[in-house]
Each structure stands twice: as C-alpha cells, then as structure tokens.
Amino acid sequence: NVVRDCYVERIGDLPHVGHGIGMKGDCAYNQIISCTAKNFRGESFYVRHRGSKFNTFENCVAIGVTQETAGFVVRDGASDNQFNNCTVQGCKRGFMFHDSDEDGGTHYCGRHNVFNNCILTDVTLGIDFNDADPASQVDSNFFYNCVFYNGGTLVNVEINNFDNAMINCIVSGYQDLKAEFNGYTLSFDFEYCDFYDNAFPAPGGAGNISSNPMFVDGDSGDFHLQKESPCIDAGTADGAPGFDFDGTTRPQGSGYDLGAYEYLEPLAVAPAGLLTATAHRGFVELIWPYRGEMNGGYFLVQRTADVRGGYWADLMEVKDCDAVASRGFFRLQDTAPLPGISYYRLKYVDPAGGHIYSNIASVHLDDVGKRIFVSPNPVRDELIIRGAGLYRAIRIFDVSGRLIRSFRLPADGRVDVSFLPAGVYYLLFGEWGGKFKPIRFSKTL
C-alpha cells in the first residue's frame, strides 16, 4: 500500500495522546511518502509489533508543538524498516524505541531499522531508548548521513542496547551526548561523524572529527554544505545511502560527504542553472537558464523512474546553444514521458571529459499512464476519480451513446451521480478514440 502527500494533525484537548500515520500488526511492505504529522503527543509516524516489517517512510515530516511529540517510533519488535529523508522539527523525541506487553512479553523493541539522510532540529531527545515494560532491548539499528541540530540529549538510555551505530552523521548544538538511567549504559558506535559546537567532547570512533560543518544556513534549516566544509569527502562508503536528501547520487567527489546532503558543485561553472520539469498533456517540458557558451562541452538530458535505483537513461544530447536557447533559456520536450513519476537531471560534460550534475527535477503524470481509477463501482451516490491528470472536462453517456451530462472534474475527484437512474454508464475523458478509453460503471439505487 502507498500513502502519499497526506497531512494529519491532532487538534484540541483530546483525551488520547494521539497517533499519526503508522503500521501495526502484520503491516509489511508499505510506503509512506511525503506525509506530514503535526502536534501528536504520542507517535507521529510509527512501526509497531513484530509483524511490522519492510515498510518505508520517505520525505515525511514530524512537527511537534506541545513538546510531548515523538517523531518516528519503532516499538514492540518492528524490524527491517527504512526511514529515508525524513525530518523532525521541535519534538520531544526524534527517534524513539519502545516496547510493551502487546506482543506477549519481553523480546526486543526493534532491530535492523535504518535511518538515512534524516534531519532533526530543536529536538529534546535525539534518539530515545525509552523505558520499556517489560524490560526489553534495542539493537542493530543504523543511522546514516543524518543531521542532529540544536538539541538536548543525543541518546537517552533507559533500556539495554547494543550494536547500534551512527555513521556519516553531523551532530551540532547538543547539550549532552547521553543520559543513562536505571543502571543502563550506552553501547553505541560513532564512526565518521562530525561533532561540533556541542557541550561535550566528540566521542571516540574511527573517522570522527570536530570541525565546523559549514552549513549554508543551519538556523534557517538549510543544511547543504559550503564548498570549504571539512565534511566533504570525509565519510565512509560502508552502509552509506546511494542518494542524498535531494536525490543527488553519492558520492560526488573522492569520498562520501557527512550529513544529509552531498556537496554538488554549482552548475554555474557550466552554462546552465536550475532545471525545472513541467507536465503538459502528453509531454514534459524541461527548462533551464542559459548562462553563456558551451566552450566545447555539452549537456546530456537524463531521465529515470526510480531516483534511488541508480540507472539514468540518456534522453538527448545538447551541443549547440544557439539552436535551442531562447531568451536566455533552454526549452526542450520529452514527448514520450514515463507513466507516473519521472525524474530528470542534466549532466554537463566539459571538453576535458569531466562532468557535473544539475539538481533533480521530478514530475508526476497520472494521465500519461493511461490509467484512470474509478471507485466504488458499482456506485450509489458518489464516484471518486483518480489519475485523470489534466483531463478535467468529463462526459457521462448511457449505453446507447446518449450524452447525459458534461462537467468539470472537481479538484478532489469526487463526482455526485445520485441523480442517475440505476443502469450502466460510461465516463469519457477527452475524445472518442483518444488516449483514454471510456470507463464503464454501474449505478445502483
């Protein structure tokens, strides 16, 4: 299952602490993408119980207002889940591990969960090994290329823990490395991490440094690295994600960078600026600013359907600036775009054979996929239409081909059909014989 672009907020003085979006029981292989959870005193995003495995949370944001909020929670034995490019803002707990008696007693809180390119700002407890009843353990969880910025305690220890590791991370502005309770001690590997401007010395570990990471503007939430940052090429490839928070391929230099962003040479050194991709009916328009001469270099326009898969196909080669540049911009078209989401980037190859990449631009083309979903079918009162894309003008015909009604599809995709008599009808998007075939649906009373 996929949950995408959803927003959930706890509002009011509710008796329950509130939970946001999560996987319980035997929920496995689900994806939570680009969702936001705000103001939950309980769990903003969570995986819960031993059957909750192989789920992915990507580009999700947990926002705390009450300072009781837990951002991303692993509990009751949930394992083998991934949290990629996620953000925690102003919460009491960033990543929390917890156990209860819901799964039948003592076992473990969670293991083999991976956190990649995550950013935590103004969090009281960065990683919380929370008190469990019964007393369980938390082990074998990994944090790669994360940023912990302006917090209280980096790791809160209230249970037994071992074989957890933080690698290629940046920790800045924290008051304490750890807080240990009830006789439990921190067992945690820190490797190739930058500990800067904290109220404690950097812990020992291979490759650790203590230098100003030189964020572009950390206080404003911009954790990209400046060109002089000591975090550039200072990481290890061991376990590092293949892409950064922006989707840029790692590594870009001679080594992996620390933190959520891989340093990318500004494309200003080449005759181009920011790439944008815009969906149109049947094609995608690609635009980027034109800044000067190619000087013997050229662009490759590349595309992929899976920004994390590592394979980018070359769409076209651009050599002659004058042939394609108009009013200071390149304007090209992908006339055979992929179904669903497509990602685009530019590869500038200089005369010496070196190359740099642009930003990654994405576009979602429901209508290109030639798939429109109508539910429920049969329908009684209201149809929900998904995937119509730019085809807003819709017509309803009966089985004899008689036009019943023309209308404009609402933004929420909900269409009232309660006025129709019981029978069989067709929805038409565009023209007969066009991209989409008429969709048959049945109306009941």
Side-chain angles (χ1 to χ4, degrees):
N1 304 291
V2 179
V3 179
R4 184 191 297 273
D5 298 324
C6 291
Y7 177 92
V8 55
E9 181 177 359
R10 179 183 183 274
I11 299 176
D13 186 17
L14 306 177
H16 193 279
V17 296
H19 302 297
I21 302 174
M23 304 292 110
K24 296 179 68 173
D26 291 323
C27 289
Y29 298 99
N30 303 286
Q31 299 179 64
I32 311 298
I33 303 173
S34 300
C35 294
T36 298
K38 182 178 181 181
N39 198 31
F40 288 91
R41 292 178 58 196
E43 305 157 345
S44 300
F45 297 93
Y46 59 95
V47 281
R48 184 171 176 178
H49 306 303
R50 278 173 283 185
S52 184
K53 296 183 177 183
F54 306 108
N55 300 291
T56 300
F57 295 76
E58 188 158 339
N59 296 319
C60 291
V61 180
I63 302 173
V65 176
T66 65
Q67 280 294 314
E68 295 294 328
T69 303
F72 294 84
V73 178
V74 176
R75 57 174 294 181
D76 298 299
S79 300
D80 298 290
N81 301 283
Q82 283 213 9
F83 303 80
N84 301 323
N85 301 10
C86 292
T87 303
V88 183
Q89 302 171 359
C91 295
K92 181 174 183 179
R93 300 173 175 89
F95 305 129
M96 175 179 167
F97 295 81
H98 178 72
D99 195 14
S100 70
D101 60 2
E102 292 184 7
D103 271 22
T106 303
H107 42 91
Y108 54 89
C109 298
R111 54 174 54 132
H112 306 142
N113 299 285
V114 178
F115 300 78
N116 292 317
N117 303 324
C118 294
I119 298 174
L120 286 73
T121 57
D122 301 312
V123 173
T124 305
L125 305 175
I127 300 172
D128 184 17
F129 296 153
N130 192 257
D131 185 23
D133 184 17
S136 298
Q137 66 190 34
V138 54
D139 67 273
S140 307
N141 300 282
F142 296 90
F143 304 82
Y144 296 105
N145 290 92
C146 296
V147 173
F148 297 81
Y149 190 76
N150 285 355
T153 300
L154 182 61
V155 187
N156 184 58
V157 182
E158 300 180 6
I159 52 178
N160 190 29
N161 61 98
F162 59 92
D163 289 339
N164 301 288
M166 183 181 294
I167 300 173
N168 290 355
C169 294
I170 300 175
V171 180
S172 179
Y174 267 71
Q175 297 303 306
D176 301 290
L177 173 65
K178 60 185 178 180
E180 299 173 329
F181 298 92
N182 302 323
Y184 294 107
T185 60
L186 177 63
S187 175
F188 208 106
D189 291 331
F190 300 97
E191 299 180 5
Y192 297 92
C193 293
D194 184 13
F195 290 86
Y196 174 75
D197 195 27
N198 302 297
F200 56 88
N208 289 339
I209 62 174
S210 184
S211 302
N212 186 346
M214 300 186 69
F215 296 127
V216 171
D217 190 349
D219 290 339
S220 298
D222 189 344
F223 296 102
H224 290 86
L225 302 176
Q226 298 183 50
K227 185 175 183 178
E228 297 78 13
S229 171
C231 296
I232 297 173
D233 299 337
T236 176
D238 187 17
F243 298 85
D244 74 352
F245 196 98
D246 285 334
T248 300
T249 303
R250 293 184 186 271
Q252 285 292 311
S254 60
Y256 287 74
D257 297 350
L258 308 186
Y261 296 96
E262 189 78 3
Y263 178 75
L264 189 66
E265 281 284 349
L267 205 59
V269 301
L274 185 68
L275 172 69
T276 62
T278 305
H280 296 275
R281 185 173 298 180
F283 69 95
V284 172
E285 184 178 35
L286 304 170
I287 300 175
W288 68 96
Y290 169 50
R291 290 178 173 168
E293 297 299 328
M294 288 284 201
N295 297 319
Y298 62 93
F299 286 110
L300 286 175
V301 180
Q302 298 181 321
R303 182 184 70 187
T304 184
D306 181 6
V307 74
R308 298 190 178 278
Y311 175 74
W312 290 80
D314 294 336
L315 285 187
M316 58 192 82
E317 184 177 294
V318 181
K319 288 185 175 180
D320 185 357
C321 295
D322 294 333
V324 294
S326 173
R327 296 185 178 180
F329 290 89
F330 288 91
R331 296 179 183 271
L332 301 177
Q333 292 184 2
D334 178 7
T335 57
L338 301 173
I341 299 179
S342 295
Y343 300 91
Y344 298 87
R345 73 181 183 188
L346 304 173
K347 180 179 179 179
Y348 175 72
V349 182
D350 63 33
H355 66 272
I356 55 176
Y357 293 101
S358 74
N359 62 297
I360 294 176
S362 64
V363 66
H364 198 295
L365 287 174
D366 284 327
D367 56 328
V368 174
K370 300 184 180 180
R371 295 180 301 167
I372 295 179
F373 300 96
V374 173
S375 64
N377 190 3
V379 62
R380 181 176 179 179
D381 297 315
E382 185 181 72
L383 277 175
I384 300 176
I385 300 173
R386 294 287 183 263
L390 301 174
Y391 289 85
R392 295 300 186 194
I394 300 174
R395 287 171 285 176
I396 298 178
F397 294 83
D398 63 15
V399 292
S400 67
R402 182 171 61 94
L403 177 63
I404 304 299
R405 175 170 294 187
S406 297
F407 58 97
R408 183 174 178 82
L409 181 64
D412 62 3
R414 297 179 179 273
V415 176
D416 179 17
V417 293
S418 59
F419 65 94
L420 292 174
V424 176
Y425 299 87
Y426 289 91
L427 286 170
L428 183 64
F429 301 80
E431 302 297 328
W432 289 101
K435 180 178 297 183
F436 295 107
K437 296 180 179 179
I439 294 180
R440 183 179 186 271
F441 71 96
S442 299
K443 172 67 170 63
T444 62
L445 296 179

